[in-house]
């Protein structure tokens, strides 16, 4: 596989969706096997089905061990951008929002700016929902922090929604 599992519990592809596997609570995290070529890029995902209070994740600027990274989390009431260090989350930016199945989200990260965008299921237009500028350079950069990935979770006996599609690419600036 070109995906590298970074969590103790697995995910699976079912019905064409990246989704929770099994009945064990916990986050399922996977990194793409190849890092981006530069520090500037985009990670995006399209919500499949089953969106609820459990979080879907898009990871960026991760180290290979997936112990330090930035994560966009999406559920049925919010979109959050956090910096994660050894499973400890530090909030960078957040917005209350009610996404729907079929909506797409992406993080465009160039330099110290992280722009979070949403595309409604029935639209071809991306709209900025918030921008975060890392003015203190808290987010690590460089060759060791260019991995990107995806995640889903199961908590309190409920699975998160699932991802229909995912992509990541370098930004040309």
């Amino acid at each position: 596989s070109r995906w590298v599992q970074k969590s103790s519990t697995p995910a699976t592809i079912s019905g064409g969706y990246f989704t929770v596997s099994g009945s064990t609570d916990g986050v399922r995290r996977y990194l793409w096997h190849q890092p981006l070529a530069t520090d500037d890029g985009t990670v995006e995902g399209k919500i499949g089905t089953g969106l609820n209070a459990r979080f879907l994740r898009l990871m960026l600027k991760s180290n290979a061990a997936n112990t330090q990274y930035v994560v966009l989390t999406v559920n049925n009431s919010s979109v959050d951008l956090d910096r994660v260090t050894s499973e400890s989350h530090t909030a960078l930016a957040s917005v209350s929002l009610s996404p729907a199945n079929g909506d797409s989200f992406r993080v465009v990260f160039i330099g110290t700016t992280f722009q979070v965008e949403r595309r409604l299921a029935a639209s071809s237009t991306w709209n900025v929902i918030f921008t975060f500028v890392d003015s203190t350079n808290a987010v690590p950069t460089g060759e060791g922090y260019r991995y990107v990935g995806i995640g889903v979770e199961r908590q309190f006996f409920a699975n998160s929604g699932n991802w229909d599609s995912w992509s990541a690419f370098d930004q040309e600036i």
Side-chain angles (χ1 to χ4, degrees):
S1 171
R2 294 182 178 266
W3 290 100
V4 180
Q5 182 177 330
K6 292 298 181 178
S7 54
S8 59
T9 50
T12 191
I13 303 296
S14 178
Y17 298 114
F18 179 88
T19 191
V20 168
S21 176
S23 58
T24 303
D25 281 0
V27 176
R28 281 85 165 142
R29 293 187 327 271
Y30 286 74
L31 291 181
W32 186 245
H33 75 286
Q34 182 70 36
L36 296 178
T38 69
D39 287 335
D40 303 317
T42 297
V43 176
E44 64 184 54
K46 179 181 178 184
I47 299 170
T49 61
L51 185 66
N52 58 33
R54 307 280 74 82
F55 288 103
L56 293 167
R57 290 169 164 74
L58 295 175
M59 294 178 292
L60 50 134
K61 294 211 171 255
S62 179
N63 62 359
N66 198 222
T67 57
Q68 293 185 55
Y69 56 94
V70 172
V71 63
L72 183 75
T73 58
V74 178
N75 71 3
N76 63 355
S77 64
S78 70
V79 177
D80 306 289
L81 189 69
D82 292 351
R83 181 174 51 86
V84 179
T85 303
S86 301
E87 297 305 315
S88 176
H89 287 241
T90 301
L92 301 177
S94 180
V95 65
S96 294
L97 190 69
S98 297
N101 293 329
D103 286 358
S104 297
F105 288 88
R106 71 181 178 191
V107 183
V108 179
F109 46 101
I110 298 174
T112 58
T113 301
F114 297 79
Q115 184 168 287
V116 176
E117 302 175 359
R118 174 189 188 192
R119 183 178 65 205
L120 298 174
S123 175
S124 61
T125 303
W126 288 97
N127 294 297
V128 176
I129 55 174
F130 63 78
T131 299
F132 168 75
V133 177
D134 183 19
S135 58
T136 63
N137 295 312
V139 176
T141 60
E143 288 185 27
Y145 297 93
R146 293 181 179 165
Y147 287 89
V148 291
I150 193 169
V152 291
E153 74 173 19
R154 178 180 173 84
Q155 300 294 340
F156 305 110
F157 309 104
N159 293 346
S160 66
N162 52 52
W163 290 111
D164 180 32
S165 62
W166 175 91
S167 66
F169 50 89
D170 286 289
Q171 283 289 342
E172 293 183 33
I173 56 172

